[in-house]
Amino acid sequence: MLSPHGGRPFGADRHAALLADPLATLVAARQLHGDLAVLTDGVPVFSRRLGAAGCVAAFGTDAVREVLLDASTFGPPATLAERDGLPPVIGALSSGVFSMSGAVHRRRRRAFGPLFARREAGRCVEAEVVGGGWRPGEVIGLVAEMNRLARAITGRLLFGAGEATPGLGDACHRVFALRRRYAATSVSETGVRDRLYAELGDVGAGLHEGLRARIRHHRTSGAGDGLLAGLSRVRDEDGRLLSEGELAAHGSALFLAGSEPLAAALVWTLLMITQLDDLRDELCAQLRSTEGVPELLGAVVRESLRVLPPNAVMVRVTTREAVLGGHRLPDRCELLISPFVAHRAFAGEARAASFDPGRWRAARPSAFEYLPFGAGARSCLGRRPAMGALTGALAEILRRWDLTLAGDQEIDWRLRATLVPANEVRVLVHEPGRGRAAGGRVGGPLRELVRLP
Ligand code: HEM
């Protein structure tokens, strides 16, 4: 029985509550139990690990630090391919850096880190169509547009300037979209699942071969300016180049890990800007009078990643019995860490849910209190290019266009791996300086996550 508080677990009924409304349930659990809360006993929530011993949330900064620094005791959850028995090629494509552990994971991070640190994704932005096809007076679907943009930026970052369209990025996206459809299809729909399984095998094989061909090309020509070209030249400790299969897995996993949160962060940030008229006017005025990235834009991005962090919940599973914050945890215990909850705690209860970039003039949270890119042993290697891509894309968009919400809209959200809008967000495009009149207002469930005027 899991009971760090010496009493009953948070409640078996919380399993359903966590799935239905994970963020409100986590906020409530923190208020009720403090630094460590038992959420379920004997049932995993997010980890997909069959036979998990239960689920515990670590909220206190010390507990968060302990979990994130000790990657060998608190390991990664099972991949979708492991849990759902996906075609072998999908398993192979899912075994990138995210599912590695132990010494090999540490070696890969050491080898890959410098390549990521040198990447300037900001320069990937201008060449891509940042609202290039938009017309004044047009209503665009912000979610679709930002997904398209984030995929283009991530594709270019990973696969280089010569990346054709449709190219490897589109193939990665197709595989992930199919994987999600497969996972969401009920086991009773045997016919549909069989068809999706076969399609996944075919599309996955095409992607695997395409990535391996690109890696061979990088190796034989020595050419290529994307991350994959750099990774193709990395050698393991024994001096051997990494296998084509391993690199293909890194390529496809990195595409998903980069494009999804980038798209979410772009949508949330632009949505917040449409709701705060004074902020929008000041930000646009600053951007249009300078070529650089004004400090205010940096603060807006930091605040957006605080209030609506794309990775709102991170999952670990204990690899052995462990002690956390003085409490014993069994082997195979699922652990949740929530940047969403942590970001509210350091901001102070009263103003936690307000979108206020001004707080960043004084706020200096520690790495384990503000962690939109994770922290510790598995922190985001793509943080620098991701920040460059976010500020670069937002600057480019806001210099070219005024955006307002096309009428009042109910905006819902959902949390899968990433915190994303659950419905399309319709936005009206104006020429610069023409969209000053107040646009539509956000209503609906998003208002439970963030306080808006
Ligand atoms: C706004 C954009 C992004 C956000 C919010 C974000 C967030 C995160 C977070 C929270 C983690 C830690 C996950 C955990 O500990 O469970 C992570 C890890 C990682 N991310 Fe990002 N990320 C972003 C963009 C990118 C991009 C563009 C790339 C590269 C193309 C990337 C590559 C990675 C890698 C390699 C790891 C480390 C995996 C490991 O060692 O297990 N990320 N990211």
Side-chain angles (χ1 to χ4, degrees), residues 89-431:
V89 70
I90 302 298
L93 282 170
S94 308
S95 55
V97 65
F98 299 89
S99 50
M100 288 177 160
S101 47
V104 65
H105 176 249
R106 284 194 295 278
R107 285 208 303 278
R108 293 298 179 267
R109 283 184 62 97
R110 259 201 312 276
F112 295 176
L115 294 169
F116 280 89
R118 281 201 294 274
R119 286 288 137 185
E120 223 352 302
R123 84 189 156 80
C124 296
V125 170
E126 208 179 339
E128 301 306 339
V129 207
V130 185
W134 301 348
R135 298 282 164 265
E138 182 185 6
V139 174
I140 55 158
L142 193 62
V143 178
E145 283 294 296
M146 292 306 108
N147 271 289
R148 184 186 57 74
L149 177 61
R151 290 204 286 270
I153 294 171
T154 314
R156 183 141 179 222
L157 176 70
L158 286 175
F159 306 125
E163 165 72 347
T165 315
L168 290 173
D170 293 82
C172 291
H173 173 61
R174 225 178 129 210
V175 167
F176 288 119
L178 271 172
R179 241 173 62 168
R180 285 222 165 109
R181 263 177 64 202
Y182 181 80
T185 307
S186 151
V187 277
S188 61
E189 294 184 68
T190 328
V192 182
R193 274 176 79 88
D194 288 351
R195 263 200 312 283
L196 284 172
Y197 185 95
E199 198 180 342
L200 253 176
D202 290 347
V203 177
L207 171 61
H208 201 238
E209 189 38 50
L211 284 164
R212 293 177 59 185
R214 185 69 63 89
I215 291 155
R216 283 196 291 278
H217 167 72
H218 290 320
R219 282 178 171 166
T220 48
S221 68
D225 63 352
L227 257 172
L228 188 66
L231 298 180
S232 305
R233 294 188 270 275
V234 165
R235 288 179 188 276
D236 207 345
E237 293 206 327
D238 58 8
R240 265 188 280 181
L241 289 166
L242 307 187
S243 74
E244 282 174 15
E246 181 187 329
L247 287 168
H250 291 313
S252 73
L254 286 171
F255 184 83
L256 183 72
S259 56
E260 276 221 338
L262 264 184
L266 285 168
V267 173
W268 293 134
T269 312
L270 285 169
L271 188 58
M272 292 301 106
I273 292 170
T274 66
Q275 297 305 291
L276 301 158
D277 299 335
D278 292 347
L279 172 68
R280 182 194 57 192
D281 290 353
E282 191 184 340
L283 185 58
C284 288
Q286 287 191 20
L287 280 165
R288 290 166 194 169
S289 62
T290 159
E291 293 213 332
V293 174
E295 241 172 63
L296 180 58
L297 180 57
V300 165
V301 170
R302 274 198 295 283
E303 182 65 351
S304 170
L305 294 173
R306 184 190 72 80
V307 181
L308 297 165
N311 296 59
V313 177
M314 303 189 301
V315 186
R316 297 290 187 272
V317 178
T318 51
T319 55
R320 50 179 168 254
E321 278 192 9
V323 176
L324 181 63
H327 300 288
R328 296 185 72 77
L329 299 178
D331 184 17
R332 290 176 296 106
C333 176
E334 180 177 294
L335 263 153
L336 303 186
I337 288 180
S338 173
F340 176 86
V341 176
H343 294 177
R344 261 142 231 257
F346 92 78
E349 204 58 52
R351 294 171 55 239
S354 304
F355 188 91
D356 174 15
R359 80 174 77 239
W360 289 98
R361 281 194 289 270
R364 297 284 178 274
S366 77
F368 297 94
E369 290 172 306
Y370 179 67
L371 59 169
F373 293 98
R378 308 196 81 97
S379 66
C380 183
L381 289 177
R383 177 185 190 131
R384 187 164 180 269
M387 284 302 279
L390 286 176
T391 49
L394 291 166
E396 201 63 30
I397 290 169
L398 295 170
R399 280 193 178 110
R400 285 195 208 176
W401 306 108
D402 281 0
L403 301 177
T404 55
L405 207 58
D408 295 349
Q409 289 170 49
E410 301 272 296
I411 311 286
D412 200 354
W413 56 272
R414 69 167 178 241
L415 180 69
R416 287 213 185 124
T418 312
L419 176 64
V420 291
N423 50 302
E424 188 50 281
V425 177
R426 288 172 294 107
V427 160
L428 188 55
V429 176
H430 311 263
E431 279 178 13

